[in-house]
């Protein structure tokens, strides 16, 4: 009889505790990671990505249905491969971190894929576009929610040849990112009848491009294609002006950032660039994302790849909610992602963990903003790019 009474009292006490919301209700804490360039020339994009991943964490933590309380572990890869390997190893060997959204720079992403495979840390790349990140080898832990540079360069070459441009000079940084863009742009351009009159590799920290640009001026191309990131792009475009080069400046997704426009001011006008995915405001969940982002009063905009960082972290957390905080189970579940809704559109990972992002947006700088080419006065003919027919 005493045992029954004691059990009843225990049940009543438990019910009372549950009713008043005591620490017995506290959720288990789960760590998730973010890696990106938080210092250096690409920090504006990296911070926008970090804030966006943080927003996904905050929204999940505010949801009463969430099973866990998530903590974001943030590390800076500085857009440097050697640093990236160090911080990736640090995160991957911390077994309390279950999964991570990683890397904007392709040079850092490709340098770290083996680390994630070795230590069984599931990651989703949120910005790096080099195809080899997912396709060089099959690593079960590695996924990517954004598209690749192959799609970008197809769209790039198609637009420029349609506009009537035939002669191109290429400047690319000598990282895997820059060399990859040069390769895929050349292939896309040549099959459309375009001609590359000169190709120039430059280092990621190069400051003076007088020698390369002087040679390019003598070659008299209609377009200078740039395969690289914002800091070098700003310097090259500025030095083009000093040397009186009037060619179209045509960049990759690596220059689609507020920092590019801020660094050049009026000289940014008429720059072309191409990025996979629709503009943020036109994404399926873009309006919601921008509203929630603004509510947090983050220091800085989400930038071009912020929505992808949000989508990567959101998918990571949803997966943990489903299978629990277990790395191997998360890897297995991510392999099954098929036609899943996200703010950037449907996500389907192929057998190499690569999402198919069918839309590539063409951008041009008009009046101090990157806007869609199709909505611009350049597309309508009201304004003209250098040499545009």
């Amino acid at each position: 009889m005493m045992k029954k009474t004691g059990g009843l009292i225990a049940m009543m006490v438990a019910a009372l505790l549950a009713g008043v919301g005591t620490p017995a209700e506290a959720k288990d804490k789960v760590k998730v990671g973010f890696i990106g360039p938080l210092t250096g020339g690409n920090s504006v994009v990296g911070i926008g990505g970090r804030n966006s991943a943080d927003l996904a964490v905050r929204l999940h933590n505010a949801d009463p249905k969430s099973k866990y309380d998530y903590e974001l572990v943030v590390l800076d890869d500085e857009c440097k491969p050697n640093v990236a390997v160090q911080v990736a190893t640090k995160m991957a060997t911390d077994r309390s971190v279950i999964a991570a959204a990683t890397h904007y720079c392709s040079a850092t992403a490709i340098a770290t894929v083996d680390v994630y495979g070795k230590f069984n840390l599931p990651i989703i790349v949120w910005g790096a576009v080099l195809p080899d990140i997912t396709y060089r080898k099959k690593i079960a832990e590695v996924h990517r929610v954004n598209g690749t540079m192959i799609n970008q360069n197809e769209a790039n070459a198609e637009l420029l040849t349609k506009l009537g441009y035939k002669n191109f000079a290429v400047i690319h940084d000598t990282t895997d990112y820059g060399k990859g863009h040069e390769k895929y742009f050349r292939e896309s351009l040549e099959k459309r009848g375009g001609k590359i009159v000169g190709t120039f590799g430059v280092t990621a920290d190069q400051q003076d491009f007088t020698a390369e640009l002087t040679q390019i001026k003598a070659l008299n191309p209609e377009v200078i294609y740039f395969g690289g990131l914002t800091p070098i792009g700003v310097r090259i475009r500025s030095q083009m002006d000093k040397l009186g080069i009037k060619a179209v400046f045509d960049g990759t997704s690596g220059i689609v950032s507020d920092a590019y426009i801020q660094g050049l001011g009026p000289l940014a006008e008429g720059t072309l660039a191409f990025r996979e995915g629709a503009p943020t405001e036109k994404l399926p969940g873009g309006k919601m994302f921008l509203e929630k982002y603004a509510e947090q009063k983050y220091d800085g905009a989400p930038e071009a790849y912020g929505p992808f960082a949000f989508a990567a972290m959101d998918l990571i957390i949803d997966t943990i909610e489903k299978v629990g905080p277990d790395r191997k189970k998360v890897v297995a579940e991510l392999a099954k992602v098929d036609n899943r809704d996200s703010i950037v559109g449907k996500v389907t990972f192929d057998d190499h963990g690569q999402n198919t992002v069918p839309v590539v947006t063409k951008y041009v700088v008009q009046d101090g903003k990157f806007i869609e080419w199709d909505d611009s006065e350049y597309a309508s003919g009201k304004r003209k790019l250098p040499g545009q027919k």
Side-chain angles (χ1 to χ4, degrees):
M1 184 71 180
M2 289 297 293
K3 285 184 179 179
K4 289 183 179 179
T5 303
L8 181 61
I9 291 172
M11 289 172 63
M12 291 172 64
V13 170
L16 285 169
L17 289 174
V20 298
T22 68
E25 286 187 348
K27 297 176 181 178
D28 290 339
K29 186 174 291 294
V30 173
K31 292 182 180 179
V32 289
F34 174 87
I35 300 178
L38 305 178
T39 54
N42 297 289
S43 60
V44 170
V45 178
I47 291 169
R50 179 205 62 193
N51 293 346
S52 301
D54 177 75
L55 177 62
V57 171
R58 293 189 185 196
L59 292 179
H60 275 276
N61 285 342
D63 184 353
K65 295 179 182 178
S66 181
K67 296 177 184 177
Y68 306 101
D69 182 42
Y70 294 91
E71 177 185 338
L72 186 64
V73 177
V74 176
L75 295 177
D76 179 11
D77 66 16
E78 301 178 31
C79 199
K80 297 177 181 178
N82 60 326
V83 175
V85 170
Q86 293 172 17
V87 297
T89 302
K90 180 179 179 181
M91 185 170 286
T93 54
D94 179 354
R95 304 303 297 186
S96 67
V97 178
I98 304 304
T102 61
H103 309 298
Y104 165 69
C105 299
S106 287
T108 59
I110 193 65
T112 54
V113 290
D114 289 330
V115 173
Y116 302 125
K118 179 180 178 181
F119 295 106
N120 190 227
L121 177 65
I123 63 102
I124 301 179
V125 173
W126 59 271
V129 295
L130 183 70
D132 280 357
I133 294 163
T134 45
Y135 289 127
R136 184 179 66 181
K137 63 173 74 171
K138 188 173 181 177
I139 300 176
E141 289 78 9
V142 176
H143 314 80
R144 174 165 39 192
V145 76
N146 60 289
T148 76
M149 59 179 61
I150 297 174
N151 315 97
Q152 288 182 28
N153 285 293
E154 285 282 345
N156 192 331
E158 182 180 20
L159 175 64
L160 290 215
T161 53
K162 277 187 176 180
L163 291 175
Y165 295 113
K166 298 183 183 303
N167 296 314
F168 298 73
V170 173
I171 303 178
H172 65 89
D173 72 40
T174 51
T175 67
D176 288 332
Y177 176 82
K179 289 187 288 188
H181 269 299
E182 185 276 329
K183 174 181 184 292
Y184 293 112
F185 179 70
R186 173 170 36 81
E187 291 175 357
S188 298
L189 182 68
E190 288 177 349
K191 69 184 181 183
R192 290 173 171 82
K195 180 182 179 183
I196 294 176
V197 297
T199 301
F200 302 83
V202 298
T203 61
D205 58 354
Q206 190 165 327
Q207 302 294 315
D208 185 2
F209 302 91
T210 303
E212 292 85 358
L213 289 173
T214 299
Q215 293 181 63
I216 287 171
K217 185 175 182 179
L219 294 169
N220 195 32
E222 299 162 291
V223 178
I224 294 178
Y225 170 88
F226 170 62
L229 302 174
T230 292
I232 313 177
V234 168
R235 294 194 286 271
I236 291 173
R237 179 64 189 89
S238 178
Q239 291 171 37
M240 281 172 57
D241 183 67
K242 290 178 182 178
L243 290 171
I245 298 173
K246 301 299 184 183
V248 174
F249 191 61
D250 172 40
T252 68
S253 59
I255 65 168
V256 183
S257 71
D258 292 342
Y260 177 81
I261 294 170
Q262 291 164 3
L264 285 169
L267 281 181
E269 181 72 24
T271 294
L272 295 173
F274 300 77
R275 181 179 66 85
E276 68 280 7
T280 302
E281 63 275 8
K282 293 186 178 181
L283 292 170
K287 184 178 180 183
M288 178 280 293
F289 168 75
L290 292 171
E291 288 174 353
K292 296 296 184 183
Y293 190 98
E295 287 175 8
Q296 300 300 323
K297 301 189 185 305
Y298 289 116
D299 184 15
E303 293 291 331
Y305 281 90
F308 290 101
F310 178 94
M313 185 56 67
D314 188 49
L315 178 52
I316 285 169
I317 293 176
D318 279 350
T319 304
I320 294 171
E321 287 284 307
K322 183 175 181 179
V323 302
D326 181 298
R327 288 185 178 185
K328 289 185 178 180
K329 289 181 179 178
V330 170
V331 170
E333 189 63 26
L334 287 176
K336 303 174 187 176
V337 170
D338 183 20
N339 207 37
R340 181 193 182 275
D341 288 324
S342 82
I343 70 161
V344 299
K346 298 287 187 181
V347 176
T348 296
F349 290 137
D350 66 15
D351 64 344
H352 279 71
Q354 177 62 51
N355 182 31
T356 301
V357 183
V359 176
V360 175
T361 300
K362 304 179 288 287
Y363 288 99
V364 63
V365 177
Q366 179 178 302
D367 299 329
K369 293 180 180 179
F370 276 105
I371 69 170
E372 282 191 82
W373 170 264
D374 293 338
D375 296 336
S376 73
E377 294 184 355
Y378 293 97
S380 69
K382 189 172 181 180
R383 301 190 198 192
K384 296 286 187 181
L385 296 171
Q388 184 180 349
K389 306 297 188 287

